[in-house]
Amino acid sequence: MFDVMALRESIWEVLDATLKKRDTTTQFDRGDISFIIIAGAMVFFMIPGIAFLYSGLSRRKSALSLIWAVSASNAVCIFQWYFWGYSLAFSPTATNGFIGNLANFGLINVLGDPSPGSPLIPDLLYSFYQMEFACVTVGILMGGIAERGRVLPAMIITFLWMTLVYCPLACWPWNINGWAFKYGVFDYAGGGPVEIGSGIGGLAYSWVLGRRQEKELQNFRPHNVSMVNLGTFMLWFGWLGFNGGSAFGANLRAIMAVWNSMLAAAFGGIVWCLLDYRLERKYTMVGFCSGTIAGLVAATPASGYIHPWAAVIMGIVTGAVCNYATKVKSLIHVDDALDLFAEHAVGGILGLLANAFFASRSIIALDGVNLNVTGGWVDHNWKQLYIQLAYICAVCSYTFVVTALIVKCVDCIPGLHLRTTAEGEKLGLDEVEIGEYANDYIEVRRHFMDWTVFGNGTGTHRSSVADDKHDQPTLAHRDQQQDLHIEELNPDANSADEKTLDLPHADAASVSS
C-alpha cells in the first residue's frame, strides 16, 4: 500500500537539504538583495515622473512629445546597457581608467559573483540597478529637445551619448579601475555621471539645437502645473530608492541617505519658493517643485557621506544658488527650456563640493564595508576639496565637448536633422511628430482621419476619401462648425494659446528631474 506519510517525510528531507545547501553556497544576504531589487524598481518609477514633469512644464501642443521622448529613450537605454553599456562602464578587467572593455558584452559572465561596486550584492543585480540610473539620466537629457527637437534623431543621440559620454563618466568614479575612484573622489550616487552628465549634456544639446522662435519664447507658462507637482513627487519617491539603494544593502548608511535626501529636498523647496515670493508675492507651485528637485539633485552625490545637519545647510544653499542659476541661460543665450543646467549641473556640483567640506568617516562606515575611508574637512582631510574640484572640471568639460560633437554630427546626417521646421514648431511637436495629444479635450470635430499633412511645410489638411464615402462634411466645413459651436457655448472664448499670450510675462523658472 502507498505510504503517504513516508512520501511526505522524503519530500521535506529533500527540501531541507536543498535549503541548507543554498544557504552555504550563497555569500549574499537575502535582505540586501531584496532591498536593492525594490530600490531599482523605485528608480524605474522615476521615468514616468520625468515624463509627467516635462510634459506639465511644456506648452500643450508639445506636451506628449516629451512624454514620448523620455519613454522611448528608456527603451533605447535598456538595449544599449544590455548590449555593451554595462561592460563599457563596469568591466573589472579594463585597466585604462577611462572606459571599460567588452569582457561582459551582452551580460556575458554577469551572474552571481560579487559586483564591482559592492561585495554586498551580486553582479547581475548590480547591473540591473545601474541600468536604471542610466535610464533616468537619458530621460533627463531629453529635456534638451523641448518644443523644437525631432524625436528620431534624439533616439540616435541617446545610444551614442550613452556609449561615448555616460559609460566613461560612470567608469571614472565607480569602476574599481576608474581614475576618479583611484584618485579618491567622493561621488555617492551620481553627481558626475547622472547630474552633471545630464545637466551639461542638456545644455550642449540645447546650444547645438538652437533657440525656439521668439514668439514661442514670449509669455511662456507651463500648461499643467498639477502634472508638474505629480511628476515631482513621483521623482521624490523614486529618489529614495536612488540614494538609499546606493548603499547597496539594507543598512544604516541607506537610512542616513534617505534622511539626508528628505531634508535637502524640503529645505531646497522652501528656499526656492521664498525667493520667488519676494519677486511676485506668490507662493508658486513651480517654484516649490524646482527647489525640491534641486535639493534632491544635490543629495545624489552627498547623501551617503554627510550628517543630517550638513544636509540642511546643503539644501538651503542649493535652493538659493540653483534659483539664481536659472538666469545663466539668458546671459549665454542658450535656450535651456527646462533648466537642465541650473537644476542638475549646478545642483550636482554643489553636492560634490558639499562632500569636500562635510563628508564624514562615521557616516561612510555605516554600510559595514567602507570602514577606513577618511571624509572631508570635518575629518581634517583638506586635500579633498581640490580632488572634488578636479573631478567636477573634468566631468563638465568632457561632457559638454563630446555631447556637442555627437549632436552636431547627427545633425549633419541626411534625414536626421535635429529640429523641426518653423511651421512645425508653430503647430507643435505633438501634431507633426507624434500624431496624438496629451490633452485632446476638444473632441467635437476630430476623427481618426483628421490628420494634417506635414513635410511640405504647409500644415494643410489632407483630403480624406472617407469624407466622401460616408457623406461627411469637408474638414474646412467642420472647422467652421467647430468655431460656431464654441462661439455659441461662450461668445468670448479664445483658444488656450491665445489666452496665454494675454497673460503678463513671468520668468518663472522651469524645473526638471
Side-chain angles (χ1 to χ4, degrees), residues 59 212-222 496-508:
R59 280 187 172 86
R212 286 168 289 177
Q213 300 177 66
E214 289 303 316
K215 182 180 179 181
E216 300 296 320
L217 293 172
Q218 294 171 1
N219 300 309
F220 173 79
R221 285 177 182 269
D497 289 338
E498 288 172 343
K499 288 182 179 179
T500 302
L501 293 176
D502 292 333
L503 292 170
H505 175 69
D507 188 17

Side-chain angles (χ1 to χ4, degrees), residues 140-141 144 196-207 334 336 340-341 403:
I140 298 170
L141 182 70
I196 296 179
S198 61
I200 296 293
L203 183 71
Y205 199 151
S206 300
W207 175 61
V334 175
D336 184 8
L340 302 186
F341 172 78
T403 302

Side-chain angles (χ1 to χ4, degrees), residues 39-110:
M42 292 172 67
V43 176
F44 172 76
F45 194 58
M46 296 174 72
I47 302 299
I50 296 170
F52 289 151
L53 175 71
Y54 284 178
S55 177
L57 286 169
S58 68
R59 280 187 172 86
R60 179 169 54 88
K61 63 185 180 181
S62 296
L64 189 63
S65 65
L66 285 170
I67 295 179
W68 193 97
V70 173
S71 303
S73 69
N74 177 70
V76 172
C77 182
I78 291 171
F79 165 68
Q80 192 274 351
W81 198 250
Y82 162 76
F83 186 67
W84 62 22
Y86 178 68
S87 187
L88 291 177
F90 291 104
S91 56
T93 56
T95 58
N96 60 70
F98 176 77
I99 192 171
N101 55 30
L102 296 179
N104 301 119
F105 176 85
L107 296 184
I108 295 174
N109 299 322
V110 177

Side-chain angles (χ1 to χ4, degrees), residues 85-149:
Y86 178 68
S87 187
L88 291 177
F90 291 104
S91 56
T93 56
T95 58
N96 60 70
F98 176 77
I99 192 171
N101 55 30
L102 296 179
N104 301 119
F105 176 85
L107 296 184
I108 295 174
N109 299 322
V110 177
L111 194 59
D113 292 334
S115 72
S118 172
L120 298 177
I121 60 174
D123 199 8
L124 188 64
L125 177 57
Y126 185 77
S127 63
F128 159 72
Y129 186 68
Q130 286 292 345
M131 179 186 72
E132 296 305 331
F133 277 49
C135 290
V136 169
T137 306
V138 296
I140 298 170
L141 182 70
M142 289 298 101
I145 72 171
E147 301 196 340
R148 78 271 198 203

